[in-house]
Amino acid sequence: QVQLVESGGGLVQAGGSLRLSCVASGSIFRFVAMGWYRRAPGKERELVARISVRGSDTDYADSVKGRFTISRDNAKNTVYLQMNSLNPEDTAVYFCNKVPGNWYPWGQGTQVTVSS
């Protein structure tokens, strides 16, 4: 059973940056496309970034395009999300998981709070 552990969140002022990490147990990680999702208060969970198995292809939601960068290190079973130019609308709990679905059990996520 794959376990996902997200970290790196915190409280940051608008315009600031954070780098999130997600470590997956199990070697199967390196064979699946991964994504970062977020769930803002009162909103549905949304996919904000996705990355292919080898990291050569990425895609972003329009709301984060140009500000967020997803990457992965398969040797470390880790996927990252570099978030720049953060704004209060980015406040959410961030999760990683497979894309497009058939998800692993969800981790606890990591809280990102952006103050204005």
Side-chain angles (χ1 to χ4, degrees), residues 15-94:
S17 299
L18 286 172
R19 188 193 194 205
L20 308 183
S21 299
C22 169
V23 179
S25 64
S27 59
I28 196 171
F29 166 86
R30 64 194 65 185
F31 301 116
V32 300
M34 293 292 292
W36 279 97
Y37 301 76
R38 69 184 181 187
R39 186 177 66 235
K43 295 185 178 180
E44 297 291 321
R45 184 173 55 216
E46 64 170 331
L47 176 65
V48 297
R50 60 194 296 167
I51 187 166
S52 60
V53 171
R54 296 189 178 186
S56 55
D57 295 313
T58 58
D59 193 25
Y60 301 90
D62 287 343
S63 58
V64 307
K65 198 170 294 183
R67 301 187 297 120
F68 290 12
T69 303
I70 188 171
S71 60
R72 67 191 295 165
D73 185 338
N74 286 345
K76 296 182 179 180
N77 279 9
T78 302
V79 61
Y80 304 97
L81 187 67
Q82 177 66 44
M83 306 187 296
N84 299 328
S85 301
L86 286 161
N87 59 62
E89 289 69 40
D90 296 315
T91 294
V93 181
Y94 285 72

